[in-house]
Amino acid sequence: MQGYSILKNDQVHCLMGGGQLINVSSVSSKGVPDVMTCAWNTVYDYDQPLVVLAKEHTTTRNILDTGRYVIALPGVDALAKAYKVGSDHGCNTGDKFNFAGITPDHSLKFGIPVIPDALCYIECEVLMHDLFEKTGILIGRAVSVTVKDGLFDQEQGLFKPGSSKIMHYVGNEYVYADGEFRS
């Protein structure tokens, strides 16, 4: 086709994006907290977030073992923390909060450690355990949803304009937030 460049097939993720940048927190069956950064996510149904995780991730093992996790939506001011907890695997670091120098808060219902000051927290239970175990496609059911005071317009069902700085992963070390690329 004239006027088009050919890219490598493994660059599809750069074109489609994965969704907003999120943090996924979990706890191992031995009580070790973990948090990771993830961009391959969307909604599956009104109360069911879908996240794609590599099968070898510590977070994946934790969620398979416990059936519980928390999705946090960090604001752009937390980009450095998101990159830090996403820079290494839990199997290498142990407690990711200690590794990143973050004193965690704890989720409302499950008490799972989370990065403080996120725009919102979605506590979930695994819905399709077999699908997740076989493919890494994690579909959960929200059991508790909290949003930072003043950011969400409940009547309209959306974040208030200008109130949040949601980051969308666009590839490599770049996110798109508030009309500009950041790294």
PDB file of all heavy atoms in Angstrom, residues 25 153 179:
ATOM      1  N   SER A  25      -2.012  -4.794  42.866  1.00  0.00           N
ATOM      2  CA  SER A  25      -1.452  -5.228  44.148  1.00  0.00           C
ATOM      3  C   SER A  25      -2.019  -6.585  44.526  1.00  0.00           C
ATOM      4  O   SER A  25      -3.195  -6.867  44.286  1.00  0.00           O
ATOM      5  CB  SER A  25      -1.790  -4.228  45.259  1.00  0.00           C
ATOM      6  OG  SER A  25      -1.161  -2.992  45.040  1.00  0.00           O
ATOM      7  N   ASP A 153     -17.642  12.557  39.347  1.00  0.00           N
ATOM      8  CA  ASP A 153     -18.999  13.077  39.266  1.00  0.00           C
ATOM      9  C   ASP A 153     -19.947  11.880  39.206  1.00  0.00           C
ATOM     10  O   ASP A 153     -20.095  11.241  38.159  1.00  0.00           O
ATOM     11  CB  ASP A 153     -19.148  13.948  38.011  1.00  0.00           C
ATOM     12  CG  ASP A 153     -20.521  14.580  37.865  1.00  0.00           C
ATOM     13  OD1 ASP A 153     -21.511  14.010  38.382  1.00  0.00           O
ATOM     14  OD2 ASP A 153     -20.603  15.628  37.214  1.00  0.00           O
ATOM     15  N   GLY A 179      -2.894  15.567  27.554  1.00  0.00           N
ATOM     16  CA  GLY A 179      -2.563  16.160  26.269  1.00  0.00           C
ATOM     17  C   GLY A 179      -1.104  16.171  25.888  1.00  0.00           C
ATOM     18  O   GLY A 179      -0.717  16.816  24.914  1.00  0.00           O
TER      19      GLY A 179
END
